């Protein structure tokens, strides 16, 4: 019986491998043999989760043709991977990926680092900050006071607590978007909202247009749902969307859904302007595409001179094109798994009906906590605290990066939680691998792209500040030196750092 659970085609694997850019070898450095470079490339793809564990690899002859190398090179690479525990084979069943005994299984998304590892590892993988106390404690205490009447019910509210739905609708109305409670469904975080939308509108095999780059966990969610992702390149720098490209993709590919982050885009930090929003809504309406606007970063403007455009849904007064997703997780705390969908009433009814076969509803106590924050003014004070913390961290990280890695390129966003960095011609995948060995965890650029794009990038979130930001940049510089020299970094142990 075969031990593989999925298959990787030769052309697909070749695209992923070809995306791994190598810096030209400097004086005195030697390039590895071709088979060794191939084995290292496949190993990196497995370690990053971009090639799943237990995925059947193409036959040696097929991969050799796709890569334009000799079959002997591929055979030697496979043999090296088998010796290192990254490949298993059986006659008649082929070869499939594995991880050596004792190694953790690679994640395909951006999961938080386990708390026990925080003493020696600086975690720049997860763009989330600690809770803005005392507001979390106060919200939970307020929720407990409001809980008794709900405890006498069954506790299942598929559309969300009526009080919270009304409060969210009121907040949209205050932003100039008239909204009824019937247009709101409360979900388990933004991920739960987008998962529900994808299942309603985008069945297996449906095309979904996505920004390129885009949020890694959402891309993986869509892949797992069987979607065919259609990437649309972002405009240069922080200028938002390239509307001409969007029009072409919406016209030619006719995707069922388009997913966008207009407010402090993850990972680039770009802020789309009002005219871009209007034009994209018009293009989506003409193409019959449902435009999913992710607003999870909309309240995280960090500079005082930022002029926030109107929400994307403001340009869809009939409510026939735009479905909006919001969340408490980024602006307040990732542990507060409360999100919501704003859409036309018939869309909300369909989402609620489908929920009976998913998670049934969102935890009542957390909904009450968010409702307490919204109704008492605690939300605004907590978010202001969050902005101040993110602003301080951003400025510290930018200063440290410019000092330690002056050749790396980035633009400083006016909001959000992430810095999108071109890593001086180095491979983001190799930086991520070596970084973990020297004590700093960063996600590589390809996690935010489709089919191996953005190999030369890393994403750095504003989650550390002060001396810890300086130490993170120092460790990244150490990782960069190892990658530049062609080494593995295996002999350098991470230092324990106490902020």
């Amino acid at each position: 019986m075969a031990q593989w659970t999925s298959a990787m085609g030769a052309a697909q694997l070749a695209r992923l491998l070809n995306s791994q850019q190598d810096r030209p070898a400097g004086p005195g450095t030697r390039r590895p043999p071709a088979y060794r470079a191939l084995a290292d490339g496949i190993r990196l793809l497995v370690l990053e989760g971009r090639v799943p564990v237990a995925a059947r690899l193409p036959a040696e002859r097929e991969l050799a043709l796709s890569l334009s190398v000799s079959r002997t090179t591929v055979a030697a690479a496979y043999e090296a991977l088998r010796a290192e525990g990254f490949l298993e084979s059986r006659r008649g069943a082929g070869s499939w990926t594995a991880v050596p005994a004792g190694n953790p299984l690679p994640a395909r998304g951006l999961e938080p680092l386990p708390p026990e590892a925080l003493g020696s590892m600086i975690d720049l993988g997860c763009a989330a900050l600690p809770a803005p106390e005392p507001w979390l404690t106060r919200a939970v205490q307020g929720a407990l006071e409001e809980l008794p009447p709900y405890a006498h019910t069954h506790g299942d509210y598929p559309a969300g607590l009526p009080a919270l739905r009304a409060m969210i609708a009121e907040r949209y109305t205050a932003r100039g978007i008239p909204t009824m409670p019937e247009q709101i469904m409360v979900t388990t975080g933004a991920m739960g909202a987008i998962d529900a939308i994808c299942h309603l509108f985008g069945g297996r095999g449906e095309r979904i247009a996505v920004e390129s780059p885009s949020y890694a966990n959402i891309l993986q969610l869509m892949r797992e749902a069987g979607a065919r992702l259609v990437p649309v390149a972002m405009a240069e720098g922080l200028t938002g969307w390239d509307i001409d490209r969007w029009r072409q993709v919406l016209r030619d590919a006719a995707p069922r859904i388009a997913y966008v982050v207009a407010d402090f885009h993850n990972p680039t930090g770009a802020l789309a302007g009002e005219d871009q929003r209007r034009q994209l809504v018009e293009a989506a309406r003409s193409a019959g595409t449902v435009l999913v606007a992710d607003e999870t970063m909309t309240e995280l403007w960090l500079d005082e001179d930022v002029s926030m455009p109107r929400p994307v849904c403001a340009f869809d007064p009939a409510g026939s094109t735009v479905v909006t997703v919001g969340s408490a997780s980024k602006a307040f705390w990732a542990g507060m798994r409360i999100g919501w969908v704003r859409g036309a009433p018939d869309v909300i009814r369909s989402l609620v009906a489908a929920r009976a076969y998913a998670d049934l509803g969102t935890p009542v106590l957390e909904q009450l906590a968010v409702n307490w924050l919204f109704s008492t003014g605690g939300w605004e004070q907590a978010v202001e605290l969050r902005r101040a913390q993110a602003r301080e961290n951003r400025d510290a990280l930018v200063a440290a990066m410019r000092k330690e890695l002056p050749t790396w390129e980035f633009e400083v966003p006016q909001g959000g939680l992430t810095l999108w960095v071109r890593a001086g011609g180095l491979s983001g995948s190799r930086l991520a691998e070596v970084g973990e060995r020297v004590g700093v965890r960063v996600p590589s650029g390809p996690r935010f792209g489709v089919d191996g794009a953005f190999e030369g990038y890393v994403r750095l979130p504003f989650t550390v500040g002060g001396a810890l930001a300086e130490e993170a940049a120092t460790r990244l510089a150490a990782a960069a030196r190892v990658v530049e020299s062609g080494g593995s970094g295996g002999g350098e142990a991470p230092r324990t750092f106490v902020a």
Side-chain angles (χ1 to χ4, degrees):
M1 177 178 174
Q3 301 299 305
W4 49 273
T5 56
S6 62
M8 175 71 60
Q12 182 182 8
L13 181 57
R15 283 197 304 272
L16 292 172
L17 289 166
N18 287 333
S19 73
Q20 296 176 332
Q21 302 166 357
D22 282 326
R23 187 182 182 91
T29 62
R30 297 175 58 189
R31 285 193 177 277
Y35 85 90
R36 183 70 261 173
L38 176 56
D40 288 346
I42 295 174
R43 177 174 55 84
L44 276 172
L45 292 173
V46 173
L47 288 173
E48 282 211 315
R50 291 159 60 203
V51 170
V53 175
R56 186 179 187 273
L57 295 187
E60 295 169 1
R61 186 185 303 278
E62 294 174 0
L63 185 57
L65 287 172
S66 292
L67 292 173
S68 298
V69 300
S70 71
R71 183 178 177 181
T72 302
T73 296
V74 177
Y78 279 14
E79 183 58 37
L81 290 168
R82 277 190 287 269
E84 295 162 6
F86 286 94
L87 196 69
E88 295 181 9
S89 303
R90 180 173 299 168
R91 185 178 297 276
S95 299
W96 56 92
T97 56
V99 292
N103 279 37
L105 287 175
R108 303 197 73 186
L110 303 179
E111 79 294 347
L113 192 70
E116 62 269 17
L118 293 176
S120 60
M121 184 74 70
I122 300 176
D123 185 11
L124 297 181
C126 187
L129 292 163
E133 288 288 29
W135 297 106
L136 174 62
T137 298
R138 291 180 183 177
V140 173
Q141 290 170 342
L144 288 172
E145 293 175 3
E146 298 292 332
L147 183 61
Y150 294 94
H152 294 293
T153 73
H154 50 63
D156 286 335
Y157 297 88
L161 294 184
L164 181 55
R165 295 177 73 196
M167 183 60 68
I168 294 171
E170 183 180 316
R171 290 173 66 83
Y172 275 106
T173 300
R175 294 169 66 190
I177 317 297
T179 303
M180 303 179 296
E182 292 79 10
Q183 292 179 261
I184 302 295
M185 181 178 82
V186 181
T187 63
T188 307
M191 292 288 287
I194 293 169
D195 183 56
I197 293 167
C198 287
H199 279 89
L200 179 63
F201 291 108
R204 184 166 292 275
E206 289 279 5
R207 294 184 181 92
I208 300 181
V210 294
E211 296 151 327
S212 183
S214 187
Y215 179 37
N217 286 342
I218 293 295
L219 294 180
Q220 191 56 37
L221 181 155
M222 292 173 175
R223 291 186 188 103
E224 297 290 344
R228 298 164 61 190
L229 301 183
V230 182
V232 186
M234 295 286 289
E236 289 298 318
L238 300 176
T239 55
W241 302 318
D242 185 325
I243 294 298
D244 288 338
R245 287 178 178 170
W246 270 104
R247 285 199 186 99
Q248 180 179 355
V249 167
L250 293 176
R251 182 181 63 247
D252 296 346
R256 187 71 182 91
I257 300 173
Y259 168 77
V260 296
V261 184
D263 302 311
F264 310 120
H265 174 261
N266 185 354
T268 68
L271 178 64
E274 283 212 1
D275 195 47
Q276 290 176 316
R277 296 169 190 235
R278 180 185 297 104
Q279 291 184 63
L280 185 56
V281 171
E282 291 172 354
R285 185 183 298 118
S286 297
T289 297
V290 176
L291 185 61
V292 180
D294 186 334
E295 288 191 337
T296 54
M297 298 282 190
T298 192
E299 296 193 63
L300 289 177
W301 47 266
L302 304 182
D303 295 337
E304 295 297 332
D305 60 346
V306 176
S307 178
M308 290 300 296
R310 285 178 290 169
V312 175
C313 59
F315 304 98
D316 180 37
S320 60
T321 299
V322 178
V323 177
T324 303
V325 171
S327 172
S329 297
K330 294 297 186 185
F332 185 75
W333 184 48
M336 188 66 76
R337 304 306 304 160
I338 298 295
W340 52 87
V341 179
R342 180 198 180 275
D346 62 321
V347 170
I348 297 301
R349 285 193 295 270
S350 297
L351 289 170
V352 171
R355 200 168 193 181
Y357 310 103
D359 63 356
L360 294 178
T362 302
V364 169
L365 188 63
E366 292 185 26
Q367 292 187 72
L368 289 172
V370 172
N371 193 58
W372 183 92
L373 288 165
F374 284 157
S375 60
T376 62
W379 176 267
E380 284 71 25
Q381 296 183 66
V383 172
E384 183 55 43
L385 184 63
R386 169 68 77 238
R387 290 192 194 107
Q389 186 179 13
R391 183 186 307 116
E392 182 179 331
N393 287 356
R394 178 197 65 181
D395 295 346
L397 182 63
V398 165
M401 290 295 295
R402 285 175 172 165
K403 175 185 175 184
E404 297 292 336
L405 292 156
T407 63
W408 288 23
E409 302 170 43
F410 54 84
E411 292 193 41
V412 182
Q414 293 187 295
L417 290 172
T418 57
L419 199 66
W420 184 237
V421 181
R422 190 191 299 269
L426 300 178
S427 161
S429 298
R430 287 177 170 81
L431 284 167
E433 182 195 23
V434 176
E436 293 223 15
R437 299 181 182 181
V438 300
V440 60
R441 181 172 180 260
V442 296
S444 67
R447 292 205 171 200
F448 303 87
V450 177
D451 279 343
F454 308 109
E455 180 61 44
Y457 289 80
V458 293
R459 190 198 72 172
L460 306 180
F462 311 144
T463 52
V464 296
L468 198 56
E470 295 175 7
E471 178 67 13
T474 298
R475 295 185 186 187
L476 264 178
R481 288 192 294 272
V482 172
V483 172
E484 196 165 20
S485 68
S488 65
E492 191 169 351
R495 302 190 299 276
T496 300
F497 184 85
V498 180

